[in-house]
Amino acid sequence: MIVVLNKNVTEAQIKHILDKAEGLGLRANVSRGVEKTVIGLIGPEDVLRVTPLEVFPGVEQVIPVLAPYRLVSREYQKEDSVIKISKDVKIGGKKIHVMAGPCSIEGLKGLRAIAKKAKSAGATILRGGAFKPRTSPYDFQGMGEEGLKILQDVGQETGMATITEVMDPRQVELIAKYVDIMQIGARNMQNFNLLKEVGMTKIPIMLKRGISATIKEWLMSAEYILSNGNFDVMLCERGIRTFETATRNTLDINAIGVVKKLSHLPIIIDPSHGSGEWGLVGHGAKAGVAAGCDGLMIEVHDHPEEAFSDGQQSLVPKRFAALMKDLEKIARAVSRSM
Ligand code: PEP
Ligand code: MN
């Protein structure tokens, strides 16, 4: 941490800061320049969260050197994390896995039909919401446990791994019994009690980026899960809110490179929520694969016009299959497989 001092800082003020820092177990090094005097502090910077040096007289600015997240950082682990979901599904390796399925689980027959087609097109993970975070309390809220049973049954029938959203710490135990991956939705990215709760499980977690969250905030949320003991975390960029109104969200393709630079965790791209429009899903998916994502989440529905949620951004299975063929070519071009 670097503490930049005011131009007219007094010796007494410098001594006050040094005494405090050394009292907290930090090593201090004063560097007196012509224009500015700065103090370099070495040691566990966490102690400064309780005693912020910014408020000390004579201090102009405090510049942290280390990122506030640790376990998720590249410094902590140089190699990419590979998350084992099942015997055949490992996320973060050479193969790019695709999670496909309806926004909401609507019934056994419908899910089974979609799953079979998604699987034969190359998807390895079946998605479907049983507890839905809807903007309106009057909209369909999901099938609950009945939906989880359907998801589990169809996953087993088709040999696909499964993922569903958990919205509340009280649902974690129940949902963990039914699925292979738990999804934390964008609206709950900073539900810290939920993050702690899933951090205490051994189930892989996919953490979606909050609607208006910075990448730093997103990584701090992931840190909550890892610091509670669960290292099987993947991140999912699903579009953020910007000034642009032409699309539901703005898919932040930069997030792939930034996350790869800062963290060892795998990153998934969700071009369905990232655009909000089925005609745009392929563009985002292709960009994601080209830019180095480790997986995709795509909403697929046999009858989007009748879907209980997000029909407007769902691909019909035929279009999904055609997209998968294009994605395979892109994956190969960037030394990945699908
Ligand atoms: C979803 O995956 O259906 C969903 C609600 O996602 P998000 O949290 O990204 O809006
Ligand atoms: Mn959805």
Short mmCIF file of all heavy atoms in Angstrom, two decimals, residues 103 127 132 248 273 299 309-310 313, ligand 2:
data_model
loop_
_atom_site.label_atom_id
_atom_site.label_comp_id
_atom_site.label_asym_id
_atom_site.label_seq_id
_atom_site.Cartn_x
_atom_site.Cartn_y
_atom_site.Cartn_z
N CYS A 103 -35.70 -21.41 -20.13
CA CYS A 103 -35.50 -20.50 -19.00
C CYS A 103 -36.12 -21.16 -17.76
O CYS A 103 -35.45 -21.33 -16.75
CB CYS A 103 -36.16 -19.16 -19.31
SG CYS A 103 -35.98 -17.98 -17.97
N ARG A 127 -30.07 -26.92 -18.60
CA ARG A 127 -30.46 -25.83 -17.70
C ARG A 127 -31.99 -25.76 -17.59
O ARG A 127 -32.71 -26.19 -18.48
CB ARG A 127 -29.92 -24.48 -18.14
CG ARG A 127 -30.50 -23.91 -19.42
CD ARG A 127 -30.59 -22.38 -19.38
NE ARG A 127 -31.69 -21.93 -18.54
CZ ARG A 127 -31.70 -20.80 -17.84
NH1 ARG A 127 -30.68 -19.98 -17.88
NH2 ARG A 127 -32.77 -20.47 -17.12
N LYS A 132 -37.77 -19.01 -9.89
CA LYS A 132 -37.45 -17.95 -10.84
C LYS A 132 -37.46 -16.55 -10.21
O LYS A 132 -38.42 -16.19 -9.54
CB LYS A 132 -38.47 -17.95 -12.00
CG LYS A 132 -38.45 -19.18 -12.88
CD LYS A 132 -37.10 -19.45 -13.52
CE LYS A 132 -36.59 -18.35 -14.41
NZ LYS A 132 -35.24 -18.61 -14.92
N ARG A 248 -31.54 -5.87 -24.34
CA ARG A 248 -31.94 -6.00 -22.93
C ARG A 248 -30.77 -5.69 -22.00
O ARG A 248 -30.90 -5.03 -20.98
CB ARG A 248 -32.43 -7.44 -22.69
CG ARG A 248 -32.90 -7.73 -21.30
CD ARG A 248 -33.38 -9.19 -21.19
NE ARG A 248 -33.87 -9.49 -19.85
CZ ARG A 248 -34.24 -10.70 -19.44
NH1 ARG A 248 -34.21 -11.72 -20.29
NH2 ARG A 248 -34.67 -10.89 -18.23
N HIS A 273 -29.41 -13.98 -22.05
CA HIS A 273 -29.71 -12.82 -21.20
C HIS A 273 -28.84 -11.62 -21.62
O HIS A 273 -29.21 -10.48 -21.40
CB HIS A 273 -29.51 -13.16 -19.73
CG HIS A 273 -30.48 -14.20 -19.25
ND1 HIS A 273 -30.23 -15.54 -19.37
CD2 HIS A 273 -31.71 -14.09 -18.70
CE1 HIS A 273 -31.26 -16.22 -18.91
NE2 HIS A 273 -32.18 -15.37 -18.50
N GLU A 299 -30.46 -20.31 -23.82
CA GLU A 299 -31.85 -20.73 -23.61
C GLU A 299 -32.43 -21.30 -24.90
O GLU A 299 -32.34 -20.69 -25.97
CB GLU A 299 -32.68 -19.55 -23.09
CG GLU A 299 -32.31 -19.28 -21.62
CD GLU A 299 -33.10 -18.17 -20.95
OE1 GLU A 299 -33.63 -17.29 -21.65
OE2 GLU A 299 -33.16 -18.17 -19.71
N SER A 309 -41.31 -18.08 -19.59
CA SER A 309 -40.43 -16.93 -19.38
C SER A 309 -39.35 -16.91 -20.47
O SER A 309 -38.95 -17.96 -20.98
CB SER A 309 -39.77 -16.99 -17.99
OG SER A 309 -39.04 -18.19 -17.82
N ASP A 310 -38.93 -15.72 -20.82
CA ASP A 310 -37.81 -15.49 -21.75
C ASP A 310 -37.93 -16.15 -23.12
O ASP A 310 -36.90 -16.47 -23.76
CB ASP A 310 -36.47 -15.87 -21.08
CG ASP A 310 -36.04 -14.85 -20.03
OD1 ASP A 310 -36.66 -13.76 -19.97
OD2 ASP A 310 -35.08 -15.12 -19.29
N GLN A 313 -35.97 -14.59 -26.15
CA GLN A 313 -34.52 -14.78 -26.31
C GLN A 313 -34.15 -16.25 -26.45
O GLN A 313 -32.97 -16.60 -26.41
CB GLN A 313 -33.77 -14.14 -25.14
CG GLN A 313 -34.05 -14.79 -23.79
CD GLN A 313 -33.52 -13.98 -22.62
OE1 GLN A 313 -33.52 -12.76 -22.65
NE2 GLN A 313 -33.07 -14.65 -21.57
MN MN B 2 -34.07 -16.67 -18.42
#
